Amino acid sequence: MKLSILNRYFWREISFNIMLVLFGLLAMFSFFDLLQELDSLGRGHYGVNSMLTFVALSIPGHIYEVAPVAVLLGIVYTLGAMAGNSELIVMRTSGISLKIIAKILLSIGLVFAVVTFMIGEIIAPLSEKMAQRIRIQATDSVVAQDFKSGLWIKDGSSFVNVNTVLPDSSLVNIDIYDFDPQFRLRSISHAEKGHFADDHWKLLNVTQTSFNNERAVQNSSVTSKFVKQAQWESLIRPELLNVLLVLPEKMSAWNLYSFIQHLHRNGQKSTRYQVALWSKLIYPLACLVMVVLAMPFGFLQQRAGGISAKIFAGILLGVVYQIMNRVFVHLGVLNDWSPLFSAIGPTVLFLFAGLGMLHYVERR
């Protein structure tokens, strides 16, 4: 009965403080997003409503990014307040061991880890895709829509159908339908692949069918030709294709895995996407690591620093963790490190640091 009451008490206090910290961090990041988007305000049809919608749809991605830091700060604040009120001392003298408290805190961290994974796997990729679609459609005159047949884009007097857009912005199975000013079909071009270079698209294995439309139907003629490579001048740019794409770090684990398999089948390098995949799988576990890292702060003596000093230390640790994560990812890609090592390195280092601090506190 005593443990049940203690469990509910910890859940209530810590969950509330984690959500409070999370709300504060999201408000800060949303404010920065709003300031950044002000530069695009008024471009094309990008108005206030579009800007606010874009910022709102970016929130799930921010939740995924800051969840471990929110867990760290929420637990540091809660344990610091409990230590200041001598609640932890009373618990320890009542026979509540550090292991029992650790199990309760880890169960809370596990729930937030699962929620973080679900947001990063399901909600954030979809919201990021919608945000980019809204922004690009509002700031550019190109109209795009994602159908079962692929991506359809209006490009001047042409309509373009792209069956597949790969994360590196290359295109697979492209059909270009070109119309004259009277909306009569002039030509149909089909290319197996296309990639953007030197300010234009390079198409491979192109079959072009041309229609010479005369006033008399009987005078109409159709010609066809095949070329191995052709240039395609278009208003479409790779950044416009973000209506279907998100950064590798914001893609779902399943999409990353599928694209890695595609690269392997084509003999292409996939280090960046492998690192992103492992990071996607491991990053939610940082919520558990942050629990271990936060616990020692509650058992340090008051003379070691007040609650404000502990919160500052927690913020500093959270910032260092995020920086190390990014540094390891970039170094791993540049130096061709093991993707697993690049993704898990900072998390393991912080885990050992937290366990070392817990061991020190327990022995005092």
Side-chain angles (χ1 to χ4, degrees), residues 38-295:
L38 287 176
D39 291 337
S40 301
L41 192 64
R43 185 187 303 170
H45 303 289
Y46 196 62
V48 175
N49 290 337
S50 299
M51 180 177 65
L52 293 177
T53 303
F54 176 84
V55 172
L57 289 172
S58 300
I59 290 177
H62 291 316
I63 293 176
Y64 178 80
E65 293 170 355
V66 305
V69 178
V71 170
L72 172 65
L73 296 181
I75 294 178
V76 166
Y77 177 80
T78 304
L79 295 182
M82 289 181 176
N85 296 328
S86 300
E87 294 177 71
L88 293 178
I89 296 176
V90 173
M91 293 177 192
R92 298 296 298 275
T93 55
S94 301
I96 305 299
S97 67
L98 183 61
K99 289 183 179 179
I100 293 176
I101 296 175
K103 286 181 180 179
I104 297 174
L105 296 181
L106 286 173
S107 67
I108 298 172
L110 181 60
V111 170
F112 277 94
V114 172
V115 172
T116 300
F117 178 79
M118 297 302 293
I119 291 174
E121 182 67 13
I122 300 174
I123 301 176
L126 292 176
S127 66
E128 183 73 16
K129 177 180 173 180
M130 292 173 63
Q132 293 298 330
R133 178 185 287 118
I134 289 172
R135 190 180 190 280
I136 292 173
Q137 287 183 346
T139 55
D140 298 276
S141 58
V142 177
V143 180
Q145 181 62 50
D146 188 10
F147 294 102
K148 288 183 179 180
S149 56
L151 176 68
W152 285 90
I153 307 169
K154 184 178 182 299
D155 181 30
S157 60
S158 302
F159 286 88
V160 183
N161 174 230
V162 180
N163 184 264
T164 305
V165 182
L166 300 179
D168 60 356
S169 295
S170 59
L171 311 178
V172 178
N173 290 331
I174 311 127
D175 291 300
I176 305 170
Y177 301 87
D178 185 42
F179 292 83
D180 63 17
Q182 286 73 42
F183 301 104
R184 293 178 299 186
L185 186 61
R186 287 192 296 203
S187 66
I188 301 175
S189 301
H190 174 81
E192 290 185 3
K193 294 182 180 180
H195 64 274
F196 194 80
D198 301 327
D199 206 41
H200 62 264
W201 290 93
K202 292 183 178 180
L203 304 180
L204 302 178
N205 298 329
V206 182
T207 301
Q208 185 180 63
T209 303
S210 300
F211 303 90
N212 296 322
N213 295 305
E214 304 292 340
R215 290 185 179 276
V217 176
Q218 59 270 23
N219 293 330
S220 298
S221 62
V222 178
T223 58
S224 182
K225 65 177 181 179
F226 173 83
V227 293
K228 292 288 293 183
Q229 183 172 321
Q231 291 186 3
W232 176 34
E233 301 294 338
S234 171
L235 297 175
I236 302 168
R237 294 293 184 268
E239 57 267 25
L240 297 180
L241 299 175
N242 283 336
V243 293
L244 287 182
L245 303 176
V246 294
L247 293 173
E249 293 75 18
K250 294 184 179 181
M251 292 171 62
S252 67
W254 174 251
N255 286 339
L256 282 168
Y257 175 77
S258 300
F259 185 61
I260 289 170
Q261 296 302 108
H262 169 81
L263 292 177
H264 287 169
R265 286 194 297 269
N266 290 275
Q268 295 177 277
K269 192 173 181 179
S270 62
T271 304
R272 183 188 179 190
Y273 299 97
Q274 290 188 53
V275 172
L277 175 60
W278 281 110
S279 297
K280 199 77 177 180
L281 298 174
I282 292 169
Y283 187 74
L285 297 179
C287 292
L288 295 174
V289 175
M290 293 302 152
V291 171
V292 176
L293 200 62
M295 284 182 61

Side-chain angles (χ1 to χ4, degrees), residues 24-35 55 62 65-66:
L25 291 173
L26 291 177
M28 181 180 67
F29 278 101
S30 296
F31 177 71
F32 290 151
D33 285 344
L34 199 62
L35 291 180
V55 172
H62 291 316
E65 293 170 355
V66 305

